[in-house]
Amino acid sequence: MTDVLPAGSLAGKVALVTGSSRGIGADTVRYFAEAGADVVINFRNKAPRAEKLASQLRELGVRALVVGADLTDPASVAAMFEQVQQEFGRLDILVLNASGGMESGMAEDYALTLNRDAQLNVLGAARPLLGEGSRVVFVTSHQAHFIRTTPTMPEYEPVALSKRAGEDALREHIPSLAEQGIGFTVVSGDMIEGTITATLLERANPGAISARREDAGRLYNVSEFAAEVAQAAVDPVPADNTRLVGDVSGFAGE
């Protein structure tokens, strides 16, 4: 597991993590706060959980802004960044963590809308607040990152394809982000123990998690992977803008 960020190392910085009321997002935003950053906790429909997390982080002596937003609604996203502007006037770290597509009852194109279109829109809305030296991190999975060369479970394929489409679309902005002095890193992880996605995959395909654990040797848990995401926001940007977390021996490179 990556060392947690040193205390005080992000003092004076502002970090926003999408989908941070629970799971990987919550642990990532906690690491930032523990390092001294003021934070923005974004949620879609888990307000009490987000507020509880914010209360805990404020006890660390940092500011924590809680903002509900539907990332697939551009007006909602614009309102979120307006609140960030009013509260902090800037943004130093943006972690694009929120994703989905396996939920029941959603429109057929929901996965692509959330995992590609919404990610682009969030980045676009954030850019006026991102200054020189700021960082953007996009969180994905090996099953999505390598989907062009390595098949995944049928239940996950629509999500994997949409997340890869989102990654590709975001990567097109790397040159213009670099011109502004903004670093961009994709963090790709293996299946993560204890996540909603892993639970849904296990439900649809019993034995999937244990099979992957056996193939990989071990799987990261939520807090371990979140530490890698947080570290990616401060480490030098890799030459290929990619940080691979966990075993990749079963995935064919592009």
Side-chain angles (χ1 to χ4, degrees), residues 11-36:
K13 303 291 188 182
V14 180
L16 185 156
V17 181
T18 62
S20 48
S21 67
R22 63 180 177 184
I24 293 164
D27 278 8
T28 302
V29 89
R30 186 185 297 278
Y31 286 135
F32 290 148
E34 288 174 347

Side-chain angles (χ1 to χ4, degrees), residues 5 11 15 27 38 51 55 66 80 88 92 116 127 136 146 182 189 209-210 227 232 237:
L5 306 179
D27 278 8
D38 293 325
E51 291 290 356
S55 296
V66 178
M80 175 172 70
F88 299 115
D92 300 285
R116 184 193 63 188
R127 282 185 75 156
V136 177
F146 293 102
I182 302 168
I209 302 300
S210 58
V237 176

Side-chain angles (χ1 to χ4, degrees), residues 106-140:
M106 293 297 190
E108 193 175 328
D109 62 349
Y110 177 71
L112 201 58
T113 301
L114 175 59
N115 296 331
R116 184 193 63 188
D117 303 345
Q119 307 302 318
L120 283 172
N121 184 54
V122 170
L123 175 60
R127 282 185 75 156
L129 295 171
L130 294 166
E132 176 130 15
S134 58
R135 300 292 290 275
V136 177
V137 175
F138 176 67
V139 181
T140 189

Side-chain angles (χ1 to χ4, degrees), residues 22 44 99-107 110-111 114-115 159 196 200:
R22 63 180 177 184
R44 189 181 67 180
S99 65
M102 292 189 70
E103 302 88 340
S104 58
M106 293 297 190
Y110 177 71
L114 175 59
N115 296 331
V159 176
I196 298 294
L200 291 173

